[in-house]
Amino acid sequence: MSQLSKLYEGKAKILYATEDSENLLAYFKDDATAFNAQKRGTIQGKGEVNCTVSSVLFQYLEERGIPTHYLEQTAPNRMRVRAVKIFPLEVVVRNIAAGSLCKQTNLPLGRPIREPLVEFYYKNDDLGDPLLTRDRILLMELASVGQVEEMVALALQIDRYLTTFFEDCGITLVDFKIEFGLDARGQIRLADEISPDTCRLWDAAESDPQRRVMDKDRFRHDLGQVESTYRALRERVLQAAKIGNSSPSAD
Ligand code: TMP
Ligand code: ASP
């Protein structure tokens, strides 16, 4: 499938049109940003890791009945996806307190969250991606009531499946960010990526708060060994996918 014009360039990916208007090609970059792009750098090989990890996880979720935009991985850092219209929302699911939740509340880092928390943030760099309420989403007409409910239900299902998948990798899924889009038929599909850039992943065998980090927090907080940790994460994910996971069955 040939790559035509560039449709969109984000911080971590470029989307290209193809000769089929319902398909796009996503190219995963090595560029890394944090704190609303105030910090910039390169993580060598990140594009290949994130594309491969996302491909494995999208396939895993599709097999369990979650609609995604994934079609195929066409190269280590390229993925063919269905064209979707992305909701300008970042949907974050939290299983353990970390990151902005700890900064904005008095919850200590590492506190387990019994009922996973689903949060919506407005994808808007100028406003600094603020936390939204359901009523603000409706007021701003970013999604309908039914769409918000469907995204919450899908996010919780995805959390269950990913938690099990990562347990099989010896990794604790602390929290993650996902994005949804609407396809040509109006169906909500999981889109964007699921990777160490968009998840907090802790090595379950490590208790040291810095050594256990297997995600972009290594880059955000200058913890070192960023590239090697991304590669190690990819190996664990590929290994778990090869063995096949004893996952919860589709609802
Ligand atoms: P937070 O604790 O900083 O709000 O992040 C929650 C999760 O969302 C964490 O797994 C990292 C991910 N995330 C992104 O993927 N993109 C972002 O821009 C931010 C702020 C967080
Ligand atoms: N990706 C975001 C940015 O650079 C923030 C982050 O992941 O920490 O704006």
Side-chain angles (χ1 to χ4, degrees):
M1 167 160 301
S2 62
Q3 168 181 312
L4 302 177
S5 59
K6 188 196 279 191
L7 291 180
Y8 168 83
E9 178 157 6
K11 285 178 275 196
K13 288 185 293 300
I14 304 175
L15 284 177
Y16 295 95
T18 69
E19 62 273 7
D20 180 340
S21 65
E22 290 196 14
N23 289 188
L24 305 178
L25 269 180
Y27 164 72
F28 287 65
K29 302 196 279 188
D30 287 351
D31 299 351
T33 62
F35 313 117
N36 204 5
Q38 288 178 61
K39 177 175 175 143
R40 289 175 181 276
T42 302
I43 302 175
Q44 288 296 336
K46 176 171 85 80
E48 297 192 359
V49 171
N50 286 2
C51 184
T52 302
V53 169
S54 294
S55 297
V56 168
L57 296 176
F58 282 141
Q59 286 174 75
Y60 180 86
L61 292 169
E62 277 279 355
E63 283 162 15
R64 283 154 184 82
I66 305 286
T68 78
H69 72 156
Y70 176 81
L71 292 169
E72 62 172 336
Q73 186 176 5
T74 56
N77 59 357
R78 282 177 164 70
M79 189 191 286
R80 195 164 66 85
V81 298
R82 270 178 233 266
V84 294
K85 192 170 182 294
I86 296 278
F87 290 94
L89 296 168
E90 300 201 334
V91 184
V92 169
V93 184
R94 300 181 189 272
N95 298 306
I96 294 178
S100 67
L101 180 66
C102 295
K103 271 201 209 112
Q104 293 167 8
T105 66
N106 56 3
L107 290 168
L109 175 69
R111 164 77 60 87
I113 300 169
R114 221 172 299 144
E115 293 290 329
L117 203 60
V118 180
E119 300 174 333
F120 289 87
Y121 293 82
Y122 184 31
K123 248 171 88 85
N124 184 313
D125 285 343
D126 293 340
L127 296 176
D129 296 347
L131 180 63
L132 293 175
T133 61
R134 183 177 157 284
D135 287 346
R136 283 188 184 184
I137 295 173
L138 303 181
L139 180 69
M140 295 165 76
E141 299 181 352
L142 302 177
S144 69
V145 185
Q147 288 169 337
V148 171
E149 279 169 10
E150 195 175 333
M151 284 189 264
V152 170
L154 283 169
L156 289 171
Q157 271 184 322
I158 292 166
D159 181 47
R160 276 182 49 218
Y161 293 135
L162 293 184
T163 294
T164 304
F165 182 91
F166 280 114
E167 271 171 8
D168 289 344
C169 301
I171 290 172
T172 304
L173 177 61
V174 174
D175 57 32
F176 60 94
K177 183 270 297 180
I178 45 180
E179 296 181 23
F180 292 101
L182 278 183
D183 71 13
R185 284 155 209 83
Q187 181 176 25
I188 295 185
R189 290 185 177 273
L190 176 64
D192 193 50
E193 65 181 276
I194 311 175
S195 73
D197 271 19
T198 61
C199 302
R200 281 199 177 88
L201 302 164
W202 292 350
D203 186 342
E206 270 289 351
S207 54
D208 181 90
Q210 294 198 356
R211 279 209 297 262
R212 70 187 173 191
V213 173
M214 296 194 75
D215 57 65
K216 193 173 156 190
D217 274 350
R218 297 210 78 81
F219 169 79
R220 291 191 187 97
H221 305 299
D222 298 318
L223 302 182
Q225 297 182 310
V226 182
E227 276 93 359
S228 58
T229 305
Y230 268 64
R231 284 196 302 271
L233 191 265
R234 172 180 55 193
E235 292 321 303
R236 286 211 207 180
V237 164
L238 285 173
Q239 191 62 27
K242 205 157 53 181
I243 294 167
N245 292 274
S246 53
S247 64
S249 56
D251 291 338

